[in-house]
Amino acid sequence: MTPSDSNRRRIPSIDTLMRQTESYSIPRLIRKRLIQDRIQQWRDSGEVPPEQDLNDIIENDLNRFLQNRLQTVINGTGIVLHTNLGRAPLPQDLADHLSNTALAYSNLEFDLASGKRGKRGLNVEKSLAVLAEAEAATVVNNCAAALVLMLNTCRTDSRDEVIVSRSELVQIGGGFRIPEILETAGVKLKEVGTTNRTTLKDYAKAAGNRTALILKVHQSNFYMDGFVETPPVDALVQLAVKNEIPFGFDLGSGALIDTRTCFGIEPEPTPASIIAQGAHMVCFSGDKLMGGPQAGVIAGSTSWIGKLKLNPFFRALRADKLVLSALEYTVTQHLQSLDDPESRTTPDLPAYHLLSQTINHLQARAEAMVRRAELPKEVLRIEETEAEVGGGTMPKTRLPSVALTFCPSGIKPERIAQYFRENNPPIVGYLRNNALQINLRTILSNQESIVIDCLKKAWEHFEGFKQSKS
Ligand SMILES: *Cc1c(COP(=O)(O)O)cnc(C)c1O
């Protein structure tokens, strides 16, 4: 018998492990699969941990499964549209609106006037067109899908090239790279210009009878300064029109309000401003600066939006009723904030509330929280810091912010961060200068008590830990 064989004899039976883990609120079949997977791994490798560790390992597997379920997380990162944390939080009224749609049948594709089959999303499409000041608009699953649909619809057998500046061949987030998206959509990339400078002449030289689209892509999460040049949108539109090809712009974040006047932060091109310059199509995300659910909006001319909707891909990328319902609510908030042209209000949506908090307001919130936590001064401090818009938008902008800094002495900061992540609901902060920081700009006001309770509990926990060591 080899050592591995004798190791394998120590592996408990599935039945034993199932009985020992009965208290877990995980469906039996999943519990069984997780246990089987772990046992299989021990059998295959022949490396079986010591007997006393086996239960802990199984329980750790089950706990990991529970932890990975989609759950509320408190965002203490100061990144407002945090892609890993679900981007824009949605308001209670929207959740009520959603539950109405979810709990019963709806007129999703039913025309109440005629009693016949109707079209999906008519109302939200009209509202989006109004908001983008375009002839028409439609919705798909996300902005990446919107771009694929746009590219694929422009393509024909004789015209399969898409012109993009080398300065705009960007990667956004995990797996979104413009050249790869083009390839997936079945078009050929025609790169023009250089990394820092692309002129109108570069575009003009490339535009020909194989061109399907001139595409501009928002650089999103990075910016260039110095010896840079890119032709203005209206000049590109003129070039496109002269060559009888469409011009499209992937805006990414899709700021629908003037970010400079509303927040004093860097300007973003609005869909309406690009449409006004003659673009045939623009696309943008629903959950970035729009502050709504994950969706991709395409706005543009009636004829191009019509073509997009006839593409079989459109059916594969369409948004579901809950998303349409959430988007309808979000667009209405944007339109309502424009009702009074005199007063410059921002949409009544959480992302906008978070972005527009003043530093004084954040400071006051921090002071109230510190008072309520009643921890020693050296353990919990208020520090001035910065926050970001996130979601790959406005990389230059730093919003002033305030953080709670928690630093019980003698404890590894990674341990502290982990303790907060194991809270229910988890609190995600970041480490700075060997302490945990919780940035208040992204903490919703109804989450303050949870943060305070966790701070108190953490301090007791780590104090107790220190005393037990000494
Ligand atoms: C974020 C972004 C996308 C992807 O948007 P999703 O809605 O996440 O699919 C596409 N293009 C640009 C320019 C972006 O900034």
Side-chain angles (χ1 to χ4, degrees), residues 68-84:
N68 286 340
R69 76 195 185 280
L70 197 55
Q71 58 171 318
T72 299
V73 159
I74 294 184
N75 177 4
T77 65
I79 301 169
V80 178
L81 301 168
H82 198 304
T83 300
N84 303 150

Side-chain angles (χ1 to χ4, degrees), residues 252-328:
S253 64
L256 293 156
I257 59 162
D258 183 338
T259 48
R260 202 168 23 178
T261 49
C262 285
F263 304 119
I265 50 186
E266 68 196 272
E268 277 283 306
T270 62
S273 73
I274 303 301
I275 295 283
Q277 295 178 72
H280 299 87
M281 286 169 278
V282 301
C283 61
F284 54 94
S285 279
D287 54 357
K288 291 187 182 173
L289 283 174
M290 195 166 177
Q294 181 190 303
V297 177
I298 312 167
S301 69
T302 308
S303 101
W304 275 106
I305 299 299
K307 281 183 204 163
L308 294 176
K309 294 181 73 173
L310 289 176
N311 187 333
F313 258 132
F314 180 73
R315 174 65 179 77
L317 303 173
R318 78 178 181 191
D320 99 301
K321 63 180 177 182
L322 296 181
V323 168
L324 289 174
S325 180
L327 195 62
E328 198 172 279

Side-chain angles (χ1 to χ4, degrees), residues 87 142-144 172 176 217-218 220 250-253 285 287-288 295:
R87 291 200 186 148
N142 55 21
C143 186
I172 296 147
F176 182 95
V217 181
H218 193 297
S220 297
D250 174 8
L251 286 166
S253 64
S285 279
D287 54 357
K288 291 187 182 173

Side-chain angles (χ1 to χ4, degrees), residues 198-200 203 216 229-239 247 249 277:
T198 307
T199 62
L200 189 61
Y203 282 95
K216 213 176 149 48
E229 179 179 342
T230 176
V233 168
D234 58 353
L236 288 175
V237 171
Q238 273 174 27
L239 176 71
F247 172 83
F249 198 153
Q277 295 178 72

Side-chain angles (χ1 to χ4, degrees), residues 150-164 182 185-190 206-215 240 243-248 280-281 304 307:
M150 208 157 92
L151 294 166
N152 185 265
T153 307
C154 293
R155 181 198 182 284
T156 65
D157 286 342
S158 59
R159 291 179 175 272
D160 60 356
E161 288 178 0
V162 172
I163 303 177
V164 190
L182 263 68
V187 296
K188 293 199 182 104
L189 170 62
K190 180 95 180 166
N209 54 12
R210 292 213 63 89
T211 312
L213 174 75
I214 297 180
L215 176 68
N243 285 277
E244 296 181 5
I245 44 184
F247 172 83
H280 299 87
M281 286 169 278
W304 275 106
K307 281 183 204 163

